[in-house]
Amino acid sequence: MEGAAAEDLVIKDLDSGRKFVLSGANTEEASVNDSLSGQQLSMKEFDRQLGIRTGRRSADASSASTSDTGSPHAPGQDLDGLSPRLKRLNGFKLAKALKDGLSRRRGDGSDSPSATAESPYAVTQPSFTRYMPHSPYSTYTVQNTPQLQSSATMKVASYRRTQRDLSDLRLVQEINVHNGVVSVMRFSPNGEYLVTGGKDTIVYLWAVVSNRGKDMKEGCRIDLPVVEPEPVRRWKGHTSHVLDIAWSFGSELVLSASMDKTVRLWTLSQDACLREIPHQTWVTSIRFHPQDPGKFVSGCGDGVLRLWDVMARKVVGSASIANEKDLYTALCFNGDGRMLLAGSLRGKCRLYQIFNSKIEIKAEIDVRNRRGRHARGRKVTGIDFTSVGGQPRFLVTTSDSRIRMLQASTSAPSEVSKFKGHTNESDRLIVATSSSKGDYVICGSDDGRVFVWPASATEASSSPRTYGHVGTREKVSAFESYKAHDGYTTSAIFAPENCQRPMTCLASVDCEPNAATTPVGRLRIQHKILMPQISDGCEKGLGLWGQVIVTAGQGGEIRVWENFGLPDQGYA
């Protein structure tokens, strides 16, 4: 390896291709150089980062006990902690033996290098582990959060993709303010604020960093913050779990719904609550009217959909579910506010027409599997409105580990496509959303991973099929995923475009010291070659280059990720 002395030992991680140069193996100043990030690590840091126990650690302990007793320290005894088998090895064979030990420690005891543990850097196949149903409001035991490094590229698993869009994904910011699970995160329509809420009953308002990356010198930092480290507002008043949050179209007002049977109205200019709107039972979902900020719709545990006048704090229209054992769990307006799609606990979606103060049902659709144990329908955990290729669509997330895209028409909504790969079989508030251009879908998962699908079923999808209860649909099973949190990932959203760095700044970020020797590095060289050909008006084919992703986990941590890589066409 270039730059390594003859007496240095080079250890290569065969899973990721990362190389580590062990310098001074027989000295007290032994250290490891990470060729990928350029960091100089001590042996203890090296062990702690990769989760292995090398012979060096045992030797250090032996050396320490010898020095405590006053015995002389003889040269060449630093590797006494190695097993007799490893003592007879040297060079490549020793490196391979250490590599095998690394793979076994990462896994579940298997000798296979592909058996991996909870490390976010391990290459894992998509997990389809099924979880027993849990309430999102119960008390959970949170595992220790792994120490992620912003300088390391995340290991992204790709399934049935002909290209890899998240070719160089890195952690750029982490926020630890919430005490408990974060149930909902939403950016304001103008992209200037982020609001979060969850189990700790507090609603936090965060300001997005303005002109991010405009300064070329500052913008070349990998860990450039996306949101300000301190919240602008801490809105207190709820006494139980915050379940949903909604923004007004003008990005001036915020609504929060809670299990304490209230909806609260907040304004950006003050900490105090403007209005407290009581309900009969806990409020599961809320939405401002897209065209009239003076009205909003709420869905409750009593199975009643209510249209409210905000300032008067009175109901001006309502609709009820006919089944007394069913209730509304999610809802969303279409773009002009004339149609409202509401999902229920029993796996049904009802399309309502909103006119003045009247709510009239137009159609109903069962969002369920054709056969199997979920054929009766499962809880709708979230609904989002998007546009794919200029066509209005509703994204419906259900607790049968499926995401369905419905055509948003004034007649009966039909199922266009179905996304699968993630795990969502609990009562947690996992919601799928789309990118600003509608070309990608993102969602969290029970296994702590984040999944990203292309919105168009052009890759590795089954041919269209016709079913009596849903019409014609396509299955999208090509996705990318990565481990974002321990426990489960409740929320994963694409940040708006104003959170991204300028293209010229993005291509200048120095992520790979040895660029020409790694696949990611070769992509970054291509970035600089292509930069003169890229303009603001010509962004076709860039995939998720520069995309910012925000995720929230079981422990209350909020993590911000940024993709520094162009699509890797030669991945498949």
Side-chain angles (χ1 to χ4, degrees):
M1 178 180 175
E2 184 180 353
E7 63 274 10
D8 292 342
L9 176 64
V10 179
I11 302 175
K12 182 177 181 180
D13 186 346
L14 299 182
D15 286 339
S16 63
R18 294 174 65 179
K19 293 183 179 180
F20 302 90
V21 180
L22 175 62
S23 303
N26 295 325
T27 66
E28 293 298 324
E29 291 79 16
S31 62
V32 177
N33 180 41
D34 184 355
S35 62
L36 183 63
S37 63
Q39 289 183 321
Q40 196 79 13
L41 307 174
S42 66
M43 292 302 297
K44 291 184 179 180
E45 292 173 338
F46 176 61
D47 287 351
R48 184 167 59 250
Q49 177 176 336
L50 294 186
I52 63 176
R53 297 293 186 272
T54 62
R56 175 70 188 180
R57 173 172 292 190
S58 300
D60 288 343
S62 175
S63 175
S65 63
T66 303
S67 61
D68 291 341
T69 59
S71 300
H73 177 73
Q77 293 182 350
D78 288 12
L79 299 180
D80 286 347
L82 292 174
S83 65
R85 182 180 69 86
L86 292 181
K87 287 181 180 180
R88 296 192 297 269
L89 302 179
N90 54 45
F92 173 77
K93 293 183 178 180
L94 177 59
K96 185 177 184 301
L98 293 176
K99 167 63 180 63
D100 293 340
L102 167 63
S103 297
R104 285 193 294 272
R105 285 199 59 84
R106 281 181 173 175
D108 55 1
S110 171
D111 291 335
S112 171
S114 63
T116 57
E118 295 296 330
S119 170
Y121 306 107
V123 179
T124 62
Q125 295 297 326
S127 173
F128 296 95
T129 304
R130 302 309 183 191
Y131 285 71
M132 295 299 292
H134 292 286
S135 169
Y137 324 119
S138 303
T139 301
Y140 296 97
T141 301
V142 182
Q143 302 175 357
N144 292 331
T145 301
Q147 297 298 318
L148 300 181
Q149 295 185 358
S150 59
S151 60
T153 300
M154 292 297 298
K155 298 302 175 185
V156 179
S158 182
Y159 183 72
R160 292 187 178 181
R161 291 298 311 274
T162 58
Q163 71 177 28
R164 184 173 57 173
D165 287 309
L166 299 175
S167 60
D168 190 5
L169 185 69
R170 298 170 185 261
L171 177 69
V172 297
Q173 187 178 6
E174 181 169 348
I175 301 172
N176 292 282
V177 173
H178 281 279
N179 182 20
V181 59
V182 178
S183 301
V184 57
M185 299 190 300
R186 298 198 189 280
F187 280 96
S188 60
N190 60 12
E192 296 181 359
Y193 294 96
L194 171 68
V195 64
T196 61
K199 186 178 180 181
D200 59 5
T201 74
I202 304 175
V203 179
Y204 289 91
L205 177 69
W206 309 87
V208 173
V209 175
S210 59
N211 298 322
R212 180 173 182 260
K214 294 296 184 180
D215 182 359
M216 182 63 70
K217 181 179 179 180
E218 188 73 12
C220 290
R221 290 172 44 200
I222 296 178
D223 58 344
L224 186 65
V226 174
V227 299
E228 298 293 346
E230 292 296 326
V232 178
R233 301 289 177 196
R234 291 179 173 86
W235 289 324
K236 300 180 180 180
H238 287 296
T239 59
S240 188
H241 198 124
V242 176
L243 301 182
D244 201 6
I245 292 173
W247 280 93
S248 65
F249 181 76
S251 302
E252 298 174 351
L253 300 174
V254 175
L255 284 172
S256 58
S258 172
M259 288 188 66
D260 63 6
K261 304 179 183 180
T262 66
V263 171
R264 290 179 178 268
L265 178 67
W266 315 90
T267 181
L268 306 186
S269 59
Q270 64 184 54
D271 292 326
C273 175
L274 287 182
R275 291 284 190 278
E276 179 181 348
I277 304 163
H279 285 65
Q280 299 296 322
T281 182
W282 38 279
V283 187
T284 58
S285 53
I286 48 173
R287 285 295 183 276
F288 266 110
H289 193 284
Q291 304 297 329
D292 187 357
K295 294 180 180 179
F296 76 92
V297 173
S298 65
C300 297
D302 58 2
V304 179
L305 197 69
R306 295 176 174 87
L307 178 63
W308 293 83
D309 184 301
V310 177
M311 295 306 172
R313 285 187 288 189
K314 67 177 183 180
V315 177
V316 295
S318 64
S320 179
I321 296 180
N323 187 351
E324 62 180 10
K325 295 182 179 181
D326 205 357
L327 58 93
Y328 291 106
T329 55
L331 55 87
C332 186
F333 280 100
N334 68 344
D336 58 13
R338 296 180 180 179
M339 308 301 295
L340 174 74
L341 188 68
S344 74
L345 181 67
R346 301 296 179 182
K348 295 182 181 295
C349 280
R350 294 174 175 85
L351 184 67
Y352 293 94
Q353 183 177 15
I354 309 295
F355 181 73
N356 291 334
S357 297
K358 294 183 179 181
I359 303 179
E360 180 182 353
I361 187 169
K362 302 294 292 184
E364 179 179 304
I365 181 175
D366 290 323
V367 283
R368 57 181 175 85
N369 290 344
R370 184 187 180 191
R371 56 183 177 271
R373 60 194 178 104
H374 297 320
R376 294 184 177 181
R378 293 295 300 273
K379 173 184 175 181
V380 177
T381 59
I383 302 177
D384 184 57
F385 179 77
T386 185
S387 177
V388 179
Q391 300 296 321
R393 297 285 188 265
F394 284 112
L395 274 179
V396 180
T397 312
T398 51
S399 59
D400 58 356
S401 300
R402 298 294 185 269
I403 302 167
R404 296 168 175 85
M405 184 175 287
L406 306 182
Q407 181 181 3
S409 63
T410 55
S411 59
S414 59
E415 186 173 324
V416 178
S417 55
K418 182 168 67 173
F419 303 85
K420 57 186 295 186
H422 68 301
T423 304
N424 178 20
E425 293 199 342
S426 64
D427 292 329
R428 299 174 186 129
L429 305 177
I430 295 178
V431 182
T433 57
S434 65
S435 59
S436 58
K437 298 179 181 178
D439 47 357
Y440 291 92
V441 175
I442 189 170
C443 187
S445 179
D446 284 342
D447 57 7
R449 302 185 71 84
V450 172
F451 288 75
V452 177
W453 297 263
S456 176
T458 57
E459 296 185 31
S461 62
S462 62
S463 57
R465 299 181 182 180
T466 301
Y467 301 107
H469 66 292
V470 295
T472 303
R473 69 183 183 190
E474 292 178 309
K475 289 184 179 180
V476 183
S477 56
F479 59 82
E480 296 175 61
S481 71
Y482 67 96
K483 182 74 172 180
H485 299 272
D486 278 350
Y488 52 85
T489 301
T490 54
S491 182
I493 56 177
F494 290 113
E497 294 184 359
N498 61 293
C499 294
Q500 302 178 16
R501 312 181 196 223
M503 291 184 179
T504 53
C505 179
L506 187 66
S508 301
V509 176
D510 186 13
C511 294
E512 296 294 335
N514 302 304
T517 63
T518 63
V520 174
R522 287 192 290 271
L523 279 175
R524 296 200 61 76
I525 292 178
Q526 296 175 18
H527 293 182
K528 296 182 179 180
I529 295 175
L530 292 174
M531 274 310 301
Q533 308 173 22
I534 297 176
S535 62
D536 293 338
C538 182
E539 300 179 5
K540 186 177 181 180
L542 298 184
L544 292 174
W545 185 40
Q547 180 64 60
V548 175
I549 297 174
V550 184
T551 64
Q554 175 181 351
E557 69 279 0
I558 299 173
R559 289 175 177 165
V560 184
W561 315 83
E562 190 168 8
N563 181 39
F564 293 92
L566 283 169
D568 189 352
Q569 300 287 348
Y571 179 73

